[in-house]
Coordinates of all heavy atoms in Angstrom, one line a residue:
M61 N -14.9 -34.7 -3.1 CA -15.2 -33.7 -4.1 C -13.9 -32.8 -4.1 O -13.5 -32.4 -3.1 CB -16.4 -32.9 -3.8 CG -16.8 -31.8 -4.8 SD -18.4 -31.2 -4.5 CE -18.0 -29.5 -4.3
D62 N -13.5 -32.4 -5.3 CA -12.3 -31.5 -5.4 C -12.7 -30.1 -5.1 O -13.8 -29.6 -5.4 CB -11.8 -31.5 -6.9 CG -11.1 -32.9 -7.2 OD1 -10.7 -33.6 -6.3 OD2 -11.2 -33.2 -8.4
E63 N -11.8 -29.4 -4.5 CA -12.0 -28.0 -4.1 C -11.9 -27.1 -5.4 O -11.1 -27.5 -6.3 CB -11.0 -27.5 -3.1 CG -11.3 -27.9 -1.7 CD -10.4 -27.1 -0.7 OE1 -9.3 -27.5 -0.6 OE2 -11.0 -26.2 -0.1
L64 N -12.7 -26.1 -5.4 CA -12.6 -25.2 -6.5 C -11.3 -24.4 -6.4 O -10.7 -24.1 -5.3 CB -13.7 -24.1 -6.5 CG -15.1 -24.7 -6.7 CD1 -16.1 -23.6 -6.4 CD2 -15.2 -25.3 -8.0
R65 N -10.7 -24.0 -7.5 CA -9.5 -23.2 -7.6 C -9.8 -21.9 -8.3 O -10.4 -21.8 -9.2 CB -8.4 -24.0 -8.4 CG -8.1 -25.3 -7.7 CD -7.0 -26.0 -8.6 NE -7.0 -27.4 -8.2 CZ -6.5 -28.3 -8.9 NH1 -5.9 -28.0 -10.0 NH2 -6.5 -29.6 -8.6
F66 N -9.3 -20.8 -7.6 CA -9.4 -19.4 -8.2 C -8.1 -18.8 -8.4 O -7.2 -18.8 -7.6 CB -10.3 -18.6 -7.2 CG -11.6 -19.2 -6.9 CD1 -11.9 -20.0 -5.8 CD2 -12.7 -18.8 -7.7 CE1 -13.2 -20.5 -5.7 CE2 -13.9 -19.2 -7.5 CZ -14.2 -20.2 -6.4
V67 N -7.9 -18.2 -9.6 CA -6.8 -17.4 -9.9 C -7.2 -15.9 -9.7 O -8.1 -15.5 -10.4 CB -6.2 -17.6 -11.3 CG1 -5.1 -16.8 -11.6 CG2 -5.9 -19.1 -11.4
I68 N -6.6 -15.2 -8.8 CA -7.0 -13.8 -8.6 C -5.8 -13.0 -9.0 O -4.6 -13.1 -8.7 CB -7.1 -13.6 -7.0 CG1 -8.1 -14.6 -6.5 CG2 -7.5 -12.2 -6.7 CD1 -9.5 -14.4 -6.8
D69 N -6.2 -11.9 -9.8 CA -5.2 -10.9 -10.3 C -4.6 -10.1 -9.1 O -5.3 -9.9 -8.1 CB -6.0 -10.0 -11.2 CG -5.1 -8.9 -11.9 OD1 -4.3 -9.3 -12.7 OD2 -5.2 -7.7 -11.4
T70 N -3.4 -9.8 -9.3 CA -2.6 -9.0 -8.3 C -3.4 -7.8 -7.9 O -3.4 -7.3 -6.7 CB -1.2 -8.7 -8.7 OG1 -0.6 -10.0 -9.1 CG2 -0.4 -7.9 -7.6
N71 N -3.9 -7.1 -8.9 CA -4.6 -5.8 -8.5 C -5.9 -6.0 -7.7 O -6.1 -5.2 -6.8 CB -5.1 -5.1 -9.9 CG -3.9 -4.6 -10.8 OD1 -3.0 -4.1 -10.2 ND2 -4.1 -4.8 -12.0
I72 N -6.5 -7.2 -7.8 CA -7.6 -7.5 -7.0 C -7.1 -7.8 -5.5 O -7.7 -7.4 -4.6 CB -8.4 -8.7 -7.5 CG1 -9.0 -8.4 -8.9 CG2 -9.5 -9.2 -6.6 CD1 -9.9 -7.4 -9.0
L73 N -6.0 -8.5 -5.4 CA -5.4 -8.7 -4.1 C -5.1 -7.4 -3.4 O -5.4 -7.2 -2.3 CB -4.2 -9.6 -4.2 CG -4.3 -11.0 -4.6 CD1 -3.1 -11.7 -4.8 CD2 -5.2 -11.8 -3.6
V74 N -4.4 -6.5 -4.0 CA -4.0 -5.2 -3.5 C -5.3 -4.4 -3.0 O -5.3 -4.0 -2.0 CB -3.1 -4.5 -4.5 CG1 -2.9 -3.0 -4.0 CG2 -1.8 -5.1 -4.7
S75 N -6.3 -4.4 -3.9 CA -7.5 -3.6 -3.6 C -8.2 -4.3 -2.4 O -8.8 -3.6 -1.6 CB -8.4 -3.6 -4.8 OG -7.8 -2.8 -5.9
A76 N -8.2 -5.6 -2.4 CA -8.9 -6.3 -1.3 C -8.2 -6.0 0.0 O -8.9 -5.8 1.1 CB -9.0 -7.8 -1.5
V77 N -6.9 -5.8 0.1 CA -6.1 -5.5 1.2 C -6.3 -4.1 1.7 O -6.5 -3.8 2.9 CB -4.7 -5.8 1.1 CG1 -3.8 -5.3 2.2 CG2 -4.5 -7.3 1.0
L78 N -6.4 -3.2 0.7 CA -6.4 -1.8 1.0 C -7.8 -1.3 1.3 O -7.9 -0.2 2.1 CB -5.9 -1.0 -0.1 CG -4.4 -1.1 -0.4 CD1 -4.0 -0.3 -1.6 CD2 -3.5 -0.8 0.8
I79 N -8.9 -1.8 0.7 CA -10.2 -1.3 0.8 C -11.1 -2.3 1.3 O -11.6 -3.2 0.5 CB -10.6 -0.6 -0.5 CG1 -9.7 0.3 -1.0 CG2 -12.0 0.0 -0.3 CD1 -10.0 0.7 -2.4
Q80 N -11.4 -2.4 2.7 CA -12.3 -3.3 3.2 C -13.8 -3.2 2.7 O -14.2 -2.0 2.4 CB -12.5 -3.3 4.7 CG -11.1 -3.8 5.4 CD -11.3 -3.9 6.9 OE1 -12.1 -3.1 7.4 NE2 -10.6 -4.8 7.5
S81 N -14.5 -4.2 2.4 CA -15.8 -4.3 1.9 C -16.0 -3.8 0.5 O -17.1 -3.5 0.0 CB -16.8 -3.5 2.8 OG -16.8 -4.0 4.1
S82 N -14.8 -3.6 -0.2 CA -14.9 -3.2 -1.7 C -15.3 -4.4 -2.4 O -15.3 -5.6 -1.9 CB -13.6 -2.6 -2.1 OG -12.6 -3.7 -2.0
V83 N -15.7 -4.2 -3.6 CA -16.1 -5.4 -4.6 C -14.9 -6.4 -4.6 O -15.1 -7.6 -4.5 CB -16.5 -4.9 -5.9 CG1 -16.7 -6.1 -6.9 CG2 -17.8 -4.1 -5.8
P84 N -13.6 -5.9 -4.9 CA -12.6 -6.9 -4.9 C -12.4 -7.7 -3.5 O -12.1 -8.9 -3.5 CB -11.3 -6.1 -5.1 CG -11.8 -4.9 -5.8 CD -13.2 -4.6 -5.2
D85 N -12.6 -7.0 -2.4 CA -12.5 -7.6 -1.1 C -13.6 -8.7 -0.9 O -13.4 -9.8 -0.5 CB -12.6 -6.6 0.1 CG -12.5 -7.2 1.4 OD1 -11.5 -7.9 1.6 OD2 -13.2 -6.8 2.3
V86 N -14.8 -8.4 -1.3 CA -15.9 -9.4 -1.2 C -15.6 -10.5 -2.1 O -15.9 -11.7 -1.7 CB -17.2 -8.5 -1.5 CG1 -18.4 -9.6 -1.7 CG2 -17.6 -7.6 -0.5
A87 N -15.2 -10.3 -3.4 CA -14.9 -11.4 -4.3 C -13.8 -12.3 -3.7 O -13.9 -13.4 -3.9 CB -14.5 -10.7 -5.6
F88 N -12.8 -11.7 -3.2 CA -11.6 -12.5 -2.7 C -12.1 -13.3 -1.5 O -11.8 -14.5 -1.4 CB -10.5 -11.5 -2.2 CG -9.3 -12.2 -1.6 CD1 -8.5 -12.9 -2.3 CD2 -9.2 -12.3 -0.2 CE1 -7.5 -13.6 -1.9 CE2 -8.2 -12.9 0.4 CZ -7.3 -13.6 -0.4
K89 N -12.8 -12.7 -0.6 CA -13.3 -13.5 0.6 C -14.2 -14.7 0.1 O -14.3 -15.7 0.7 CB -14.0 -12.6 1.5 CG -13.1 -11.7 2.3 CD -13.8 -10.7 3.2 CE -12.7 -9.8 3.9 NZ -13.5 -8.8 4.7
K90 N -15.1 -14.3 -0.8 CA -16.1 -15.4 -1.3 C -15.3 -16.5 -2.0 O -15.5 -17.7 -1.7 CB -17.0 -14.7 -2.3 CG -18.1 -15.7 -2.9 CD -19.0 -16.1 -1.9 CE -20.2 -16.9 -2.5 NZ -21.1 -17.2 -1.5
A91 N -14.3 -16.2 -2.8 CA -13.4 -17.2 -3.4 C -12.6 -18.1 -2.4 O -12.6 -19.3 -2.5 CB -12.5 -16.5 -4.5
K92 N -12.2 -17.3 -1.4 CA -11.4 -18.0 -0.3 C -12.3 -19.0 0.4 O -11.9 -20.1 0.9 CB -10.8 -17.0 0.6 CG -9.8 -17.5 1.6 CD -9.2 -16.4 2.4 CE -8.4 -16.9 3.5 NZ -7.8 -16.0 4.4
S93 N -13.6 -18.6 0.6 CA -14.5 -19.4 1.3 C -14.9 -20.7 0.6 O -15.4 -21.7 1.1 CB -15.7 -18.7 1.9 OG -16.6 -18.4 0.7
L94 N -14.9 -20.5 -0.8 CA -15.4 -21.6 -1.6 C -14.3 -22.7 -2.1 O -14.5 -23.7 -2.5 CB -16.0 -21.1 -2.8 CG -17.4 -20.3 -2.7 CD1 -17.8 -19.8 -3.9 CD2 -18.4 -21.3 -2.1
G95 N -13.0 -22.2 -2.0 CA -11.9 -23.0 -2.6 C -10.6 -22.5 -2.2 O -10.3 -22.0 -1.2
I96 N -9.6 -22.8 -3.2 CA -8.2 -22.5 -3.0 C -7.9 -21.3 -3.9 O -8.3 -21.2 -5.1 CB -7.3 -23.7 -3.4 CG1 -7.7 -24.9 -2.6 CG2 -5.9 -23.3 -3.4 CD1 -7.0 -26.1 -3.1
I97 N -7.2 -20.3 -3.3 CA -6.6 -19.2 -4.1 C -5.3 -19.5 -4.7 O -4.4 -19.9 -3.9 CB -6.6 -18.0 -3.2 CG1 -7.9 -17.6 -2.5 CG2 -6.0 -16.8 -4.0 CD1 -9.0 -17.3 -3.4
L98 N -5.2 -19.4 -6.0 CA -3.9 -19.7 -6.6 C -3.3 -18.2 -7.1 O -3.9 -17.4 -7.4 CB -4.1 -20.5 -7.9 CG -4.7 -21.8 -7.7 CD1 -5.0 -22.4 -9.1 CD2 -3.9 -22.7 -6.9
F99 N -2.0 -18.2 -6.9 CA -1.3 -16.9 -7.3 C 0.2 -17.2 -7.6 O 0.7 -18.2 -7.3 CB -1.3 -15.9 -6.2 CG -0.8 -16.4 -4.8 CD1 0.6 -16.3 -4.5 CD2 -1.6 -17.0 -3.9 CE1 1.0 -16.8 -3.3 CE2 -1.2 -17.4 -2.6 CZ 0.2 -17.3 -2.4
S100 N 0.8 -16.4 -8.4 CA 2.2 -16.6 -8.8 C 3.1 -16.2 -7.7 O 2.8 -15.5 -6.7 CB 2.5 -15.6 -10.0 OG 3.8 -15.5 -10.2
D101 N 4.3 -17.0 -7.7 CA 5.2 -16.7 -6.6 C 5.8 -15.3 -6.6 O 6.0 -14.7 -5.6 CB 6.5 -17.7 -6.8 CG 6.2 -19.1 -6.4 OD1 5.3 -19.2 -5.5 OD2 6.9 -19.9 -6.9
S102 N 5.7 -14.6 -7.8 CA 6.3 -13.3 -7.9 C 5.2 -12.3 -7.4 O 5.6 -11.1 -7.3 CB 6.6 -12.9 -9.4 OG 5.4 -13.1 -10.3
T103 N 4.1 -12.6 -7.1 CA 3.0 -11.8 -6.4 C 3.6 -11.3 -5.0 O 3.3 -10.1 -4.7 CB 1.7 -12.5 -6.2 OG1 1.2 -12.9 -7.5 CG2 0.7 -11.6 -5.6
F104 N 4.2 -12.2 -4.4 CA 4.8 -11.8 -3.1 C 6.2 -11.8 -3.1 O 7.0 -11.5 -2.3 CB 4.3 -12.9 -2.1 CG 2.9 -13.0 -1.8 CD1 2.1 -13.9 -2.4 CD2 2.3 -11.9 -1.0 CE1 0.7 -13.9 -2.3 CE2 0.9 -12.0 -0.9 CZ 0.1 -13.0 -1.5

């Protein structure tokens, strides 16, 4: 079975890093546990 792929907005990534247990953090962790996180090279 193919893994799910998630595209996460840069603002969500920043919020997830800065504020633990926030909605963006929970969403990011859930997506990470279910599949692959996709992002642009320019994000980093």
Side-chain angles (χ1 to χ4, degrees):
M61 183 166 124
D62 293 330
E63 280 191 284
L64 295 173
R65 297 178 199 164
F66 297 91
V67 177
I68 305 290
D69 182 73
T70 302
N71 292 321
I72 299 300
L73 290 173
V74 170
S75 293
V77 169
L78 293 178
I79 307 168
Q80 287 187 333
S81 300
S82 63
V83 172
D85 184 46
V86 171
F88 177 75
K89 288 176 180 173
K90 181 70 170 183
K92 188 176 173 186
S93 73
L94 293 175
I96 299 169
I97 304 296
L98 303 174
F99 54 87
S100 170
D101 288 337
S102 58
T103 300
F104 295 99

